[in-house]
């Protein structure tokens, strides 16, 4: 994020660089410069400027004629100050979930962005992101969700039938107590995911128990709850990983694809997904 802030400042100082970015079709920098911090999120076309392009453009700027050798160091210092101001403003933590522009969506709703390519797992439709590996989440002999590998982080998604209406507010205290009972720590929080649980969950790693930072998120939809757990070293960072936010808020829940529709129980139940034979 610091590099993105540095590129914003460089584009403000160098009109030629700003023009080059505009001509390339990249939309993130112009939006950020105008104060639209939601541009950091991936959009429907996964069109946030790639980190490789950010680094490349900063390198081009540093090598530009007339740019002093120490200019890049000054730029990073200014970018750090700018990013601190952004974080203190609270804009990056403002909930952006089921607000008309972001989901997660119900299959019957409009708009469900058709430009987002999704992998069909029956009840759960998951956005496709390049470089993200997807594995089945199994429980009790059934496949009940997906686990998405994001480098040294993992993000699990699971859908539940919730016929009695919104339940995330009731579920969170139970999640917190469960984590504490297992020897971890957990507390209510809020981010761009909305109301969530920030936890340190005991896991076994390399033969010993450690506490893994984990962000547990949830969202109520019509008759369902979508729950996610994002774990890894930076899971509790001040700014949510835009990949995780995109995967969660562009997911689609389709209760019509659930098994046993006639005998569907009225209590909260985990929904089994359809795992493709080719996966």
């Amino acid at each position: 994020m610091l590099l993105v802030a540095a590129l914003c400042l460089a584009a403000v100082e160098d009109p030629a660089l700003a023009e080059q970015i505009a001509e390339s079709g990249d939309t993130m920098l112009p939006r950020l410069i105008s104060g639209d911090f939601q541009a950091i999120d991936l959009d429907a076309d996964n069109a946030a400027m790639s980190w490789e392009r950010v680094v490349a453009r900063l390198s081009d700027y540093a090598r530009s004629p007339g740019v002093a050798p120490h200019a890049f160091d000054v730029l990073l210092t200014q970018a750090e100050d700018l990013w601190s101001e952004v974080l203190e403003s609270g804009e990056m933590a403002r909930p952006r979930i089921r607000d008309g522009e972001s989901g997660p969506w119900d299959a019957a709703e409009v708009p469900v962005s058709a430009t987002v390519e999704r992998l069909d797992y029956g009840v759960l439709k998951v956005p496709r992101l390049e470089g993200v590996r997807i594995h089945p989440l199994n429980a009790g002999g059934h496949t009940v969700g997906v686990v998405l590998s994001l480098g040294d982080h993992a993000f699990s998604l699971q859908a539940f039938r919730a016929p009695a209406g919104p339940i995330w507010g009731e579920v969170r205290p139970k999640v917190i107590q469960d984590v504490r009972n297992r020897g971890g720590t957990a507390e209510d929080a809020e981010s761009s995911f909305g109301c969530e649980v920030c936890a340190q969950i005991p896991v076994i790693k390399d033969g010993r128990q450690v506490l893994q930072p984990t962000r547990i998120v949830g969202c109520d939809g019509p008759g369902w709850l979508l729950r996610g757990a994002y774990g890894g070293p930076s899971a509790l960072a001040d700014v949510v990983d835009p990949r995780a936010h995109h995967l969660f808020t562009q997911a689609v829940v389709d209760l019509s694809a659930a098994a046993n529709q006639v005998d569907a129980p009225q209590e909260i139940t985990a929904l089994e997904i359809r795992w493709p034979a080719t996966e």
Side-chain angles (χ1 to χ4, degrees):
M1 298 301 183
L2 190 61
L3 293 178
V4 173
L7 186 54
C8 285
L9 291 173
V12 171
E13 294 180 5
D14 187 346
L17 176 62
E19 184 177 355
Q20 183 184 22
I21 292 172
E23 290 177 351
S24 72
D26 287 322
T27 60
M28 184 178 74
L29 262 296
R31 289 175 59 191
L32 285 173
I33 292 170
S34 68
D36 181 5
F37 299 112
Q38 293 188 37
I40 291 177
D41 285 337
L42 297 177
D43 66 15
D45 300 314
N46 304 340
M49 182 183 290
S50 72
W51 304 122
E52 292 82 3
R53 277 186 287 169
V54 170
V55 173
R57 294 200 188 282
L58 283 173
S59 298
D60 291 343
Y61 169 78
R63 293 194 297 265
S64 298
V67 175
H70 65 282
F72 189 66
D73 292 334
V74 173
L75 196 65
L76 287 179
T77 300
Q78 294 173 338
E80 187 173 1
D81 293 339
L82 173 62
W83 188 240
S84 295
E85 291 178 11
V86 171
L87 292 180
E88 289 173 4
S89 73
E91 179 64 22
M92 296 303 300
R94 182 173 60 82
R96 298 191 301 278
I97 190 165
R98 285 188 66 78
D99 58 0
E101 296 182 1
S102 299
W105 308 103
D106 186 81
E109 288 179 330
V110 177
V112 173
S113 178
T115 60
V116 175
E117 183 181 1
R118 296 180 175 88
L119 300 171
D120 188 351
Y121 297 102
V123 169
L124 195 57
K125 277 72 171 173
V126 181
R128 180 193 293 274
L129 278 184
E130 185 177 352
V132 174
R133 292 179 292 117
I134 304 181
H135 312 279
L137 175 63
N138 298 312
H142 301 283
T143 303
V144 295
V146 298
V147 179
L148 304 111
S149 295
L150 303 169
D152 55 357
H153 291 71
F155 191 31
S156 64
L157 292 177
Q158 188 176 2
F160 297 82
R161 189 190 301 277
I167 59 168
W168 181 229
E170 302 173 15
V171 169
R172 288 199 315 279
K174 298 177 182 178
V175 170
I176 291 173
Q177 191 59 52
D178 178 64
V179 172
R180 291 174 178 173
N181 290 344
R182 292 162 56 189
T185 64
E187 61 183 7
D188 266 315
E190 186 175 278
S191 73
S192 58
F193 281 120
C195 295
E196 62 184 13
V197 174
C198 287
Q200 298 277 353
I201 298 179
V203 298
I204 302 300
K205 186 174 183 179
D206 298 328
R208 63 189 184 92
Q209 181 173 288
V210 299
L211 293 177
Q212 175 171 276
T214 305
R215 190 187 295 268
I216 303 169
V217 302
C219 183
D220 293 298
W224 50 261
L225 168 73
L226 182 65
R227 191 176 70 185
Y230 178 62
S234 302
L236 302 181
D238 291 334
V239 178
V240 169
D241 184 335
R243 299 170 301 173
H245 190 266
H246 175 80
L247 289 166
F248 190 75
T249 61
Q250 291 301 327
V252 174
V253 178
D254 184 3
L255 289 181
S256 70
N260 303 321
Q261 288 291 326
V262 175
D263 300 322
Q266 292 304 300
E267 67 271 15
I268 303 169
T269 51
L271 293 169
E272 189 170 359
I273 70 167
R274 181 179 64 242
W275 192 257
T278 56
E279 289 286 346

